[in-house]
Amino acid sequence: MSDLTINHPQLRELYEYWLKKKADQRWPRRVAIDPIDLGFCLGYLALAEIETPFRVRYRLVGTKLCELYGADPTGFYIDQLYTPGFRSHVLAAYRNVVDQGAPFYDE
């Protein structure tokens, strides 16, 4: 089922969940995603909104990510949060997801 090699068990489980929920569609429908199913990683998830023209805003950020960031980035755009070099890396990852219609994995 998986076409990515993901060594981290929670990330692999999340990827498998995404594949299952998307079925034969490009993306899983929002209504197909149940946060209860994601309890194993919910604190590490962020929900991002992609605007047109291309701009990415964090709509909701998990508590564990907020702890790692040292603040809650909910409501902020990526271009407001990161240094230019890291910003371009993050935006490229989001662009890849949008263009390919598939998850992006990077270590």
Side-chain angles (χ1 to χ4, degrees), residues 6-68:
I6 302 173
N7 294 320
H8 191 283
Q10 288 176 314
L11 287 177
R12 186 174 50 253
E13 186 176 352
L14 178 61
Y15 178 62
E16 296 292 338
Y17 180 82
W18 188 91
L19 288 174
K20 178 179 149 190
K21 292 299 181 174
K22 85 174 192 72
D24 61 349
Q25 303 169 75
R26 184 172 185 191
W27 310 97
R29 296 190 56 201
R30 171 59 190 98
V31 297
I33 306 294
D34 186 345
I36 291 173
D37 295 340
L38 301 173
F40 67 95
C41 66
L42 200 56
Y44 292 99
L45 294 180
L47 180 61
E49 179 177 44
I50 310 297
E51 297 181 356
T52 303
F54 187 79
R55 195 170 183 207
V56 182
R57 182 175 69 91
Y58 290 123
R59 292 193 60 199
L60 183 65
V61 179
T63 55
K64 297 294 185 182
L65 286 178
C66 291
E67 289 173 15
L68 289 171

Side-chain angles (χ1 to χ4, degrees), residues 49-102:
E49 179 177 44
I50 310 297
E51 297 181 356
T52 303
F54 187 79
R55 195 170 183 207
V56 182
R57 182 175 69 91
Y58 290 123
R59 292 193 60 199
L60 183 65
V61 179
T63 55
K64 297 294 185 182
L65 286 178
C66 291
E67 289 173 15
L68 289 171
Y69 290 144
D72 184 355
T74 298
F76 286 90
Y77 290 92
I78 286 178
D79 55 78
Q80 297 173 308
L81 296 171
Y82 302 116
T83 60
F86 190 63
R87 179 184 315 133
S88 64
H89 178 75
V90 173
L91 288 173
Y94 276 101
R95 174 60 80 183
N96 186 313
V97 169
V98 170
D99 290 348
Q100 300 300 316

